[in-house]
Amino acid sequence: MLIVMQSHATEEQIRNVCARIESLGLKAHPIPGSLRTAIGITGNKGAVDLAVLETLPGVVECIPVSKPYKLVSRDAKEEDTILRIPAPAGDLVIGGDKIALIAGPCAVESEAQIMAVAEPLAKAGVKLFRGGAFKPRTSPYSFQGHGEAGLKILAKVRERFGMAIITEAIDNESLDLVEKYADVIQIGARNMQNFSLLKRAGRARKPVMLKRGMSATLDEFLMAAEYILSEGNYQVMLCERGVRTFADHSRNTLDLSIIPAVKQRSHLPILADPSHGTGLRRNVLPLSRAAIAAGADGLMIEVHHDPGQALSDGIQSILPGEFVQLAEEVRQIAAVLRRTVN
Ligand code: PEP
Ligand code: MN
């Protein structure tokens, strides 16, 4: 259910409607828009007579939302959600006419490795640096990440180069730590339907990047995001990272068609990860171009200064110099779409 407020409704009227919703044992989610505020209602398990809400001052109408996802839907909020990630060297804006480039190695391997990658990326204008400290690996014998020690190395990157940090949380325990050290919390493909982790991310005070599960449908993807918003965290961006198909020429199939499909249904920004989406260094550039052309709000790219020695995902990691070329091409494609890379 969605309550649409009048365009001139006062703060007090909005607060009053929220209080009435909460008094019915439901949760109210005020969603401010440029024209009007809508208030999403969640938590209604059975039929609750909400007609009374329509009589409150400032309310235009109550609209039943038939889609399984409510808060992430364009019905709840017509305009694009635009995220602002604060960074000492300058804030990063994601969504609207702004395109974001996120780059860094797959994993935090050592301080020397991280600094060797971070320095040229900071020079290339990257504002959000990635690197996994908790690695969800297929094999228990593969490098699992350095945990909190890795997060401390990432925090040094912010201090030294002014970039914000995004890193993955793999369970509720690591999310506590990631929330403490990082600027953006990443939920990986393997955890897209880890509902307790999604709820915990929804209670976090930092923005979340939710990656698409490798066999998730569009609805499942949006429902996973709904979990986060339903707990009160509206700072969510999505990321297409490739799905499993019969194709065996690449690690995954980057499903670019989900980008316009998400944009039609949801106000949340959606980025693309052509590194995991292709699994091959030489395909990262062409799929990056294509993702931006398809309307992606940004890219997440794995970069390593010495990919041959990488402890994870070396074959899909590009060199810092290659990233500079990629960023330049993306800027030019963005300009055609009247968007800017920041
Ligand atoms: C990653 O970004 O390092 C990662 C593990 O990605 P995904 O969850 O998409 O596999
Ligand atoms: Mn990786």
Side-chain angles (χ1 to χ4, degrees):
M1 183 73 80
L2 196 66
I3 310 286
V4 180
M5 300 298 293
Q6 290 166 348
S7 55
H8 55 271
T10 63
E11 288 294 319
E12 198 192 335
Q13 287 173 334
I14 294 168
R15 265 198 310 274
N16 182 37
V17 174
C18 290
R20 278 300 277 273
I21 294 168
E22 306 272 345
S23 76
L24 294 168
L26 308 170
K27 199 162 173 180
H29 303 264
I31 309 162
S34 61
L35 297 177
R36 50 150 182 83
T37 290
I39 303 170
I41 303 178
T42 59
N44 38 331
K45 298 195 173 57
V48 187
D49 185 11
L50 299 170
V52 59
L53 296 171
E54 227 163 29
T55 65
L56 295 176
V59 172
V60 178
E61 57 177 340
C62 300
I63 307 172
V65 180
S66 52
K67 296 195 187 72
Y69 41 88
K70 304 179 194 313
L71 302 173
V72 306
S73 144
R74 282 238 185 244
D75 296 343
K77 182 170 178 263
E78 219 174 300
E79 309 102 81
D80 291 344
T81 284
I82 298 174
L83 303 184
R84 179 174 285 275
I85 316 291
D91 295 358
L92 177 67
V93 181
I94 307 175
D97 62 0
K98 293 280 187 282
I99 288 175
L101 295 181
I102 306 171
C106 180
V108 178
E109 299 169 10
S110 67
E111 186 168 332
Q113 168 249 7
I114 284 297
M115 296 305 162
V117 185
E119 189 174 4
L121 291 181
K123 278 202 186 114
V126 170
K127 291 181 181 162
L128 186 53
F129 184 79
R130 64 149 289 149
F134 297 93
K135 295 304 302 174
R137 303 303 299 279
T138 302
S139 165
Y141 309 117
S142 299
F143 176 57
Q144 304 284 309
H146 290 308
E148 188 170 7
L151 296 177
K152 287 185 176 160
I153 295 174
L154 290 171
K156 285 189 188 170
V157 168
R158 180 176 39 234
E159 234 171 75
R160 195 173 299 177
F161 300 109
M163 293 188 279
I165 300 299
I166 176 169
T167 193
E168 181 168 355
I170 54 172
D171 48 29
N172 289 11
E173 209 184 332
S174 56
L175 200 145
D176 289 345
L177 288 168
V178 166
E179 188 179 12
K180 181 170 150 203
Y181 287 96
D183 303 284
V184 183
I185 300 160
Q186 179 174 325
I187 307 271
R190 290 157 192 79
N191 273 312
M192 191 205 81
Q193 285 189 314
N194 179 340
F195 299 117
S196 77
L197 185 60
L198 295 174
K199 285 190 205 167
R200 172 64 187 86
R203 293 191 295 274
R205 291 286 155 264
K206 298 258 170 92
V208 176
M209 172 192 269
L210 176 67
K211 299 188 84 175
R212 181 184 181 187
M214 52 194 84
S215 59
T217 64
L218 173 58
D219 272 8
E220 287 164 346
F221 193 15
L222 292 176
M223 290 302 281
E226 184 80 17
Y227 264 91
I228 304 174
L229 273 78
S230 71
E231 292 290 325
N233 189 350
Y234 308 110
Q235 296 195 81
V236 175
M237 58 179 140
L238 306 169
C239 181
E240 158 61 27
R241 49 77 70 205
V243 290
R244 284 269 167 88
T245 66
F246 53 83
D248 57 3
H249 60 274
S250 62
R251 179 176 176 183
N252 293 294
T253 297
L254 190 66
D255 177 17
L256 295 179
S257 72
I258 204 168
I259 294 169
V262 163
K263 292 213 159 279
Q264 190 196 343
R265 290 165 178 78
S266 174
H267 52 86
L268 297 177
I270 176 158
L271 288 77
D273 169 356
S275 305
H276 295 88
T278 65
L280 282 172
R281 185 175 311 135
R282 67 171 176 275
N283 290 343
V284 172
L285 175 62
L287 269 296
S288 295
R289 295 174 184 138
I292 296 301
D297 295 301
L299 299 171
M300 177 180 249
I301 309 283
E302 285 189 342
V303 181
H304 200 287
H305 69 298
D306 187 2
Q309 297 300 313
L311 295 182
S312 67
D313 287 346
I315 52 168
Q316 67 194 33
S317 299
I318 62 173
L319 291 161
E322 293 171 321
F323 177 81
V324 171
Q325 187 202 338
L326 183 152
E328 181 44 37
E329 293 197 16
V330 163
R331 268 187 199 99
Q332 293 187 32
I333 296 168
V336 173
L337 303 169
R338 295 189 173 72
R339 303 184 82 186
T340 49
V341 176
N342 77 132

